């Protein structure tokens, strides 16, 4: 490859490298996308990030995340709001826990101090990944009733 072609290739790679550099470090090292499906997997491939499965989240974190998704319009229709109300009224749900408040802030709390922040994602990646996660959270929330 000629020097000028290598230079152009390097220039073309800079935006990708910059996007990866700004990815949240705390999102690295999770074991896969679990119930989020192949589409979400391809969105993050090559980024060094993976989203933990929502099926392993505590019910209070799922409920808080559902609130985040509804409040920020990542889910459409009345069904998510109705489900959120039902989950909040469920006996034994602790809405004063840190897992619930993390969820309300868009943070998947996977335990042992590991988290994944939807709020810290940037640009087009944020919209796509958060929509996928919110749909998975909606499905997980339904299974909690």
């Amino acid at each position: 490859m000629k020097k000028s072609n290598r230079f152009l290739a390097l220039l073309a790679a800079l935006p990708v490298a910059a996007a990866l550099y700004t990815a949240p470090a705390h999102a690295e090292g999770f074991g896969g996308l679990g119930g989020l499906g192949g589409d979400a997997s391809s969105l993050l491939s090559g980024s060094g990030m993976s989203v933990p499965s929502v099926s392993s989240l505590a019910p209070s974190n799922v409920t808080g995340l559902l609130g985040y998704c509804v409040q920020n319009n990542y889910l459409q229709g009345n069904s998510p709001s109705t489900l959120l109300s039902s989950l909040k009224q469920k006996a034994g749900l602790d809405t004063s826990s840190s897992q619930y408040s993390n969820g309300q802030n868009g943070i998947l709390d996977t335990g042992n101090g590991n988290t994944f922040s939807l709020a810290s994602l940037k640009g087009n990646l944020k919209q796509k990944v958060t929509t996928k996660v919110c749909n998975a959270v909606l499905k997980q929330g339904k299974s909690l009733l």
Side-chain angles (χ1 to χ4, degrees):
M1 186 184 283
K2 292 181 181 178
K3 284 187 180 182
S4 62
N5 287 343
R6 279 188 263 165
F7 178 74
L8 290 175
L10 178 62
L11 279 178
L14 285 177
V16 173
L20 295 178
Y21 179 76
T22 61
H26 60 275
E28 296 179 6
F30 287 107
L33 292 164
L36 297 180
D39 290 342
S41 175
S42 65
L43 291 172
L44 294 176
S45 65
S47 71
M49 296 185 327
S50 60
V51 180
S53 170
V54 298
S55 64
S56 64
L57 301 177
S60 56
N61 193 226
V62 170
T63 305
L65 282 163
L66 187 57
Y68 173 84
C69 296
V70 167
Q71 180 181 0
N72 292 289
N73 298 312
Y74 287 107
L75 297 169
Q76 303 303 316
N78 293 329
S79 176
S81 295
T82 303
L83 176 62
L84 179 59
S85 294
S86 297
L87 286 172
K88 284 182 177 180
Q89 294 172 6
K90 187 173 179 181
L93 181 71
D94 185 7
T95 57
S96 64
S97 73
S98 63
Q99 290 176 332
Y100 179 79
S101 60
N102 279 347
Q104 287 188 306
N105 290 312
I107 298 171
L108 287 78
D109 188 347
T110 61
N112 298 326
N114 294 320
T115 61
F116 181 92
S117 175
L118 296 171
S120 67
L121 295 173
K122 304 287 183 217
N124 196 30
L125 184 67
K126 178 178 181 160
Q127 179 69 34
K128 289 181 179 181
V129 171
T130 303
T131 299
K132 295 287 181 188
V133 170
C134 286
N135 284 316
V137 165
L138 179 63
K139 184 177 177 182
Q140 181 66 19
K142 289 177 182 177
S143 76
L144 295 174
L145 290 180

